[in-house]
Amino acid sequence: MCGIIGFTGELDAKNVLLEGLESLEYRGYDSAGIAYFNDDGIHTIKTTGKVSSLREKVEAAPKFHSTCGIGHTRWATHGGVSDTNSHPHTFGKVTLIHNGIIENYHDLETKLAAEGKYPVSQTDTEIAAMLIDHLYQGNPMKALKEAIKYLEGAYAFCVLFADKPGVIYCLRNGSPLVACHCEKGSIIASDMVALIKYSKEYFVLPEQHIAVLTKDQITVYDINDKVVSPKMLYVNWDLSAAMKGGYPHFMLKEIHEQPEALRSTIIPRVRKGNLPDLSGDGLPHTIIDSINRIIITACGTAMHAGLIGKVMFERLLRIPVTVEIASEFRYQNPIMDNNTLVITISQSGETADTLAALRLAKTSHAKTLSIVNVKGSSIARESDYVLYTHAGPEIAVASTKAYTAQLSCLYLLAFSFALEKGKVTEEECSKEMEGLLQIIPAIEKALTFDVLAKDISKNLKDCEDLFFIGRGLDYALSCEGSIKLKEISYIHSEAYAAGELKHGTLSLVTEGTPVIALATQSNVYSKMISNIREVRARGAMVILITNGNVTVDSSIYDYHFALPHLSDDFAPFTAAVVLQLLAYYTSVHRGLDVDQPRNLAKSVTVE
Ligand code: F6R
């Protein structure tokens, strides 16, 4: 949530900041702003709306040439969307941008009011600017370190002090900041996508550390003023991965990138004899030996991946698995001990609730393993073990390639654990792995449904409600299909276990109600067909998805996707692609902002 960028060096800061904000816009897009040093001090330009509105305002401003500045794209938490509430915020000598939430801002505001200091905005961020200014007596490091003692909550700040031109001070507690120094200067941002134009090498600013950026170097200090050298990380993707590359939207590009994302995630983890090998990830195969319970915890789409993981783990390992919504789990006093394996799943690796769930698991001495896409992110760093999805940057707010890559990691874990526990023989495991490898060409084929999905979704664009139904793995996938459609098309939908419909919800199915019915699982296929008949009898418009070209009575559906045939366990991969395409085109037909849907933002770093 919220994108931050800071640059000081030899380049025109205006371009670096605006381009950086454009690449970070998926993190929040209700307002944007920049502040920069000019010959006569710090100037700020900010506005509600997207970065394109900021660009217009900047272009219209009197010409300036600055080589040092900060920029912010906002997802409002405290205070509505207005020019005044947009960042940067200035108070006295301090101008800052912030990602996170200052939880005790009201107390701080009261204390500052007692000193005769009042904010002009309704934001928690301005209170932070006021506090730092209040503590500032010419030594920025000292003021920032002092501020840590007062501030509660999560924050990443980039701060300009009016009497320290050309220098950016950054402080991190909870919210991410990554930085690099390159030939042309020093740059810091919330996410690597804003840095990739300048460097593939970067570091993550450690928690409660301060980075001081000058044009010649970045110096990182710990809380005791000791200079530290954070570990350098390297990304294996380039600028083109963070651009649309000819696609009209990032979401469509990312849907089409799934074969590559899965190849990169699976292939390096297959050893001779087609067996899973997670040793390159530092996962000892003994990790599962003492485990008698698995808890998967995550949010949104990542949690839906967990629902599929549960089915696979329980089927193969015969160990009880629960899937917990991280924001619930963290407050439920869950039962865990050192025989529990807690798996957290997160694309960004920064989701506040998932991170809190992980920290809670650690306090109970559970073993922790995370499935994460962003290297060096908080969840990855704090877990005992990490399995990275190599999906590349995911920029559309709606998660697509990260989801299927998360599924592939869960399958790899399930197979590898089953082998270790002696639940499958090497021969059986190798057969399962063969199935996993087959999903890559199958997804390539499923992507050719693009045109059909575009056509069929015209029938969804005007509906108000719809249902996704399925059983077993198909029900778990229905949950994902439903959130995907809701978040980008704003059409209400529900995912239902098909057998449960008649216990209440069937009353909502009337003439023309669209029902997307997943029938890919052979053990419940005939039951599923009966459930489809039930909705059909009430007039539902049925979009049927099957695994392979099964013979099915054509009177029970209006439209049919016959997926390339895979063994049942792997059908969620191809079916997910069809659901993603249906959601995508429904949003396009409704003329909506597919990549940046209203009220949402990627990377939910606040609770
Ligand atoms: C939906 C979506 C969200 C995220 C959720 C968790 O398409 O993207 O539901 O899955 O906010 O985010 P991560 O995976 O970054 O923890």
Side-chain angles (χ1 to χ4, degrees):
M1 314 223 120
C2 298
I4 279 186
I5 182 155
F7 172 78
T8 181
E10 290 168 12
L11 301 171
D12 181 354
K14 176 180 77 182
N15 290 338
V16 180
L17 298 179
L18 288 175
E19 280 175 17
L21 290 181
E22 275 152 8
S23 68
L24 291 169
E25 193 161 33
Y26 68 93
R27 299 181 67 92
Y29 32 85
D30 53 46
S31 41
I34 59 171
Y36 52 92
F37 280 106
N38 227 356
D39 295 343
D40 56 348
I42 296 174
H43 291 244
T44 298
I45 304 177
K46 53 190 190 175
T47 182
T48 51
K50 296 216 170 190
V51 178
S52 53
S53 311
L54 177 68
R55 188 177 267 286
E56 276 171 28
K57 220 166 168 174
V58 170
E59 307 286 352
K63 286 228 174 313
F64 69 83
H65 182 75
S66 170
T67 55
C68 176
I70 54 179
H72 186 268
T73 174
R74 180 171 187 241
W75 187 85
T77 55
H78 295 70
V81 178
S82 69
D83 284 3
T84 313
N85 288 344
S86 311
H87 301 209
H89 288 280
T90 299
F91 200 91
K93 287 198 160 65
V94 168
T95 296
L96 67 71
I97 50 176
H98 167 219
N99 174 19
I101 287 186
I102 307 300
E103 282 165 4
N104 62 335
Y105 82 101
H106 194 60
D107 291 348
L108 294 172
E109 187 176 355
T110 311
K111 285 185 186 131
L112 289 160
E115 306 275 336
K117 298 181 177 182
Y118 301 96
V120 293
S121 75
Q122 290 81 48
T123 64
D124 53 336
T125 302
E126 190 183 0
I127 304 299
M130 291 167 70
L131 174 72
I132 296 169
D133 180 71
H134 181 68
L135 300 168
Y136 183 55
Q137 283 167 350
N139 183 339
M141 292 282 296
K142 208 166 161 211
L144 289 173
K145 275 194 316 177
E146 268 300 296
I148 296 176
K149 295 183 194 154
Y150 293 92
L151 295 168
E152 288 169 20
Y155 46 87
F157 295 126
C158 289
V159 192
L160 303 179
F161 290 87
D163 52 354
K164 306 284 174 204
V167 190
I168 304 172
Y169 293 85
C170 308
L171 169 63
R172 174 192 182 186
N173 181 52
S175 305
L177 279 177
V178 292
C180 71
H181 180 75
C182 65
E183 222 181 292
K184 300 286 182 196
S186 302
I187 181 160
I188 191 156
S190 308
D191 191 320
M192 191 54 201
V193 291
L195 267 53
I196 188 72
K197 183 170 173 192
Y198 308 96
S199 172
K200 283 189 160 196
E201 244 193 324
Y202 68 105
F203 66 86
V204 177
L205 182 64
E207 297 282 351
Q208 303 227 326
H209 280 55
I210 295 170
V212 181
L213 277 69
T214 65
K215 74 179 179 39
D216 300 317
Q217 62 183 13
I218 303 179
T219 316
V220 178
Y221 298 91
D222 70 9
I223 202 74
N224 301 314
D225 281 341
K226 197 172 146 236
V227 174
V228 298
S229 307
K231 189 174 160 213
M232 295 308 289
L233 300 170
Y234 187 81
V235 285
N236 55 2
W237 43 271
D238 55 24
L239 185 60
S240 65
M243 299 177 81
K244 284 190 195 148
Y247 285 90
H249 298 102
F250 279 110
M251 183 177 175
L252 189 61
K253 175 176 179 247
E254 289 159 8
I255 290 172
H256 281 267
E257 280 173 346
Q258 289 180 102
E260 195 43 46
L262 288 162
R263 215 171 273 127
S264 309
T265 304
I266 300 169
I267 305 287
R269 289 156 175 157
V270 186
R271 69 175 155 98
K272 218 167 140 224
N274 247 355
L275 292 170
D277 182 2
L278 307 178
S279 59
D281 299 279
L283 253 75
H285 49 87
T286 50
I287 182 177
I288 194 70
D289 287 356
S290 61
I291 297 300
N292 56 25
R293 181 160 182 234
I294 297 176
I295 299 174
I296 302 177
T297 181
C299 301
T301 286
M303 187 273 290
H304 294 154
L307 296 175
I308 298 219
K310 169 188 161 75
V311 177
M312 294 304 293
F313 282 132
E314 288 191 336
R315 189 176 291 169
L316 285 161
L317 299 176
R318 310 306 299 157
I319 290 178
V321 181
T322 50
V323 180
E324 309 281 352
I325 296 168
S327 56
E328 289 293 309
F329 177 76
R330 61 184 291 190
Y331 295 114
Q332 298 298 322
N333 195 10
I335 303 161
M336 297 179 273
D337 60 23
N338 55 2
N339 296 320
T340 311
L341 174 65
V342 174
I343 301 179
T344 46
I345 309 175
S346 176
Q347 187 285 127
S348 61
E350 301 291 350
T351 301
D353 285 318
T354 311
L355 182 58
L358 166 67
R359 289 178 178 160
L360 179 68
K362 295 193 82 166
T363 61
S364 304
H365 308 290
K367 284 199 178 111
T368 57
L369 189 162
S370 63
I371 297 174
V372 172
N373 196 40
V374 176
K375 262 195 199 168
S377 53
S378 302
I379 293 173
R381 280 182 293 111
E382 294 190 27
S383 303
D384 298 332
Y385 306 101
V386 58
L387 203 58
Y388 281 110
T389 46
H390 298 300
E394 192 178 63
I395 303 210
V397 164
S399 185
T400 53
K401 61 177 179 172
Y403 171 74
T404 44
Q406 287 159 355
L407 290 186
S408 71
C409 282
L410 288 161
Y411 279 58
L412 282 165
L413 283 172
F415 300 153
S416 149
F417 290 166
L419 189 62
E420 171 63 18
K421 282 242 176 218
K423 300 282 183 187
V424 290
T425 62
E426 283 203 350
E427 204 180 319
E428 286 161 343
C429 190
S430 161
K431 230 172 139 217
E432 295 280 9
M433 286 294 289
E434 235 169 72
L436 188 61
L437 290 166
Q438 278 168 12
I439 63 170
I440 299 167
I443 285 185
E444 271 158 4
K445 281 194 198 138
L447 285 167
T448 62
F449 282 125
D450 190 284
V451 180
L452 184 61
K454 186 174 181 180
D455 206 36
I456 292 177
S457 53
K458 281 189 194 133
N459 300 291
L460 303 180
K461 81 175 179 43
D462 296 319
C463 72
E464 286 183 359
D465 298 285
L466 69 82
F467 291 93
F468 289 83
I469 59 171
R471 285 169 171 259
L473 283 173
D474 282 339
Y475 169 55
L477 183 63
S478 296
C479 298
E480 175 53 15
S482 176
I483 196 179
K484 208 88 310 165
L485 186 85
K486 273 187 276 217
E487 66 179 325
I488 58 168
S489 75
Y490 315 154
I491 294 174
H492 169 253
S493 74
E494 278 193 56
Y496 247 80
E500 182 67 9
L501 269 182
K502 55 177 140 334
H503 298 288
T505 309
L506 196 55
S507 63
L508 293 175
V509 177
T510 56
E511 195 61 39
T513 305
V515 174
I516 299 181
L518 289 147
T520 70
Q521 301 297 301
S522 41
N523 66 327
V524 284
Y525 181 75
S526 57
K527 307 282 172 207
M528 191 58 211
I529 295 298
S530 306
N531 296 138
I532 295 172
R533 287 189 193 283
E534 285 160 10
V535 293
R536 192 71 174 161
R538 272 86 194 165
M541 177 185 84
V542 173
I543 299 174
L544 174 66
I545 300 176
T546 59
N547 183 10
N549 209 353
V550 291
T551 313
V552 47
D553 173 1
S554 63
S555 71
I556 66 161
Y557 63 82
D558 294 274
Y559 305 100
H560 181 197
F561 289 94
L563 299 169
H565 185 264
L566 289 171
S567 97
D568 287 4
D569 286 350
F570 302 99
F573 287 91
T574 41
V577 171
V578 169
L579 299 184
Q580 293 164 355
L581 288 169
L582 284 172
Y584 170 76
Y585 281 114
T586 306
S587 175
V588 170
H589 292 316
R590 285 167 72 91
L592 299 173
D593 188 343
V594 178
D595 285 338
Q596 293 170 356
R598 72 179 175 211
N599 304 342
L600 300 176
K602 196 104 179 147
S603 193
V604 185
T605 52
V606 296
E607 211 184 318

